[in-house]
Amino acid sequence: MPKITMTPSEAICETLVAEGIDHVTGIVGSAFMDLLDLFPTAGIRFIPVRHEQSAGHMEDAFCRVTGRAGVIIGQNGPGITNMVTSVAAANSAHTPMVVICPSAGTPTVGWDGFQEADTVKIFEAITKETIRVPHPSRAADCLRTAFRIAYAERGPVLYDIPRDYFYGEISEQILEPHQYRVDQRGCGDLASLDKAAELLISAQRPVIISGRGVVDTQSKDIVAKIAEILTAPVACTYLHNDAFPYDHPLWVGPIGYMGSKAAMNLVAEADVILALGTRLSVFGTTPQYDIDYFPESAKIIQVDINPRNIARTHPVEVGLIADAREAAREILKRLEERIAEPKVSQSRLTQIKAQQNAWEEEIVQSAMVDGYPINPRRALYEIQKALPENAIVATDIGNVSSTANSYLKFKGAGKHIAALTFGNTGFAYPAALGAQLAEPDSPVVAIIGDGAWGMSLHEVSTAVEHNLPVVAIVFRNGAWCAEKKNQIDFYNNRFVGVDIPTPESFAPVAIAMGAEGIRVSKAEEVGPALKGALDSRKPTVLEIVCDGTQLAPPFRKDALKLPTRLLPKYKSLDVRNW
């Protein structure tokens, strides 16, 4: 279409429509009200939240479920700075997102005006790019660039526009996305694909590590075929428990903190590792359970869509800058051409099954230890059994939430939306709301500790307002238990700042906010309560009262040391004097 006269607000709105954006999340503000006024007529739903941080987590999850970049917006200054944590989390998670950031009006910049902040500088370190609109006529062009970079670099982009630039008249042509960005990445270098296939064929103990790229490209079926040809166990990357179906005989579970010992033991013995759609993060491959499982001698084939991630943490034998599905398809094709009659290695299958069974027995036995009132592992075990196959599960950070990594299993259409390596508390519940927006008919739950719930419960009213039937499963143990475990193991049970004096129950708080509230204190009540909550299709807080003394190992055991004290007044705190 030719250029026509419109306002910058109209140019922004029409660009959002061209991008297929059907909703924008944030909190209303005068800075962008001229744009906001257009949304209903344009068919864009505005989703108001109670805190701007929640908007970022919601759209992070929305993108992880749909593959479409989320859009968030807030008032210039404090409204946008409230988004820092959730945007940083999305950046760490490689989630495309556009942050529409109104900034102070140009006539008063530098005068410390009301709500003035240099948000471009603030966001430079936690986004893939910050784009400042230099003139009202560039409003649409810069927004197109923001979407292009968000998808290309796989992360959030700040789109900064002075609040006075929404007004006036400009001449603009609204383009379709295919005219300014390319989504397809292809399969990677053909010679490298050949080499990858040869390495896998020659391997004695191949292992596949399946990551988020496999989830995003819906290529678990191809991964399964590769695994079957090679009789290769498939491990999931840290907190991507949905990266391979647990009912497949070659599934061995997730690696990383509170992951599967079966996966780690088999990875430790690998001579060739096919790492598909993963950056192989440092924390996601660090030793766990005193198992230094990531082998230095293994030849690694790493496939990632972002060239910055190849060999960033572990040296590779073959690196492929490629779409996970396209690369996997080409690897499979080469394996099928070179292996005329694949033979299942029964000895390898027996080894894999033995590791699976040993791990399952260990976590079930741990869950069946009595707790007072409920062993948190038992609650997680009962939750897993009660979850439908298509459930979306958002997990927070913390002792109980992290222990869920041992128990959560996915097959079919189920998805795992986790806080990942940015690891901020208060992630799971708003993320679950965003996932429910993405898939209105799917059952969605959030697993949260009572510490993180203190940062989230205000969004219950958001769930009620928008009729989002998420079930918040809140583990009530009365403490920041990840940190409490550190003080137990490293500070001789000296507890500072870890106890959480909370209301007698969160259930009546939820009811007062218009949601359902359920409190359980018996293990056998957990499964039926969760099923009932999911069947009700109402926003629900399911509070599980659990034992605060049954704790997982320290979360950052690798980063803590027993204390030494040099000043006389602190002598009693020295580990040598305990």
Side-chain angles (χ1 to χ4, degrees), residues 521-550:
S521 56
K522 295 180 180 179
E524 59 271 19
E525 297 174 345
V526 173
L530 176 55
K531 288 180 180 178
L534 290 170
D535 289 344
S536 76
R537 301 301 292 164
K538 295 179 181 178
T540 302
V541 175
L542 171 56
E543 181 181 44
I544 298 175
V545 187
C546 60
D547 193 324
T549 67
Q550 293 175 311

Side-chain angles (χ1 to χ4, degrees), residues 281-295:
S281 70
V282 169
F283 187 69
T285 55
T286 199
Q288 302 294 336
Y289 309 112
D290 296 322
I291 306 171
D292 192 357
Y293 67 91
F294 211 85

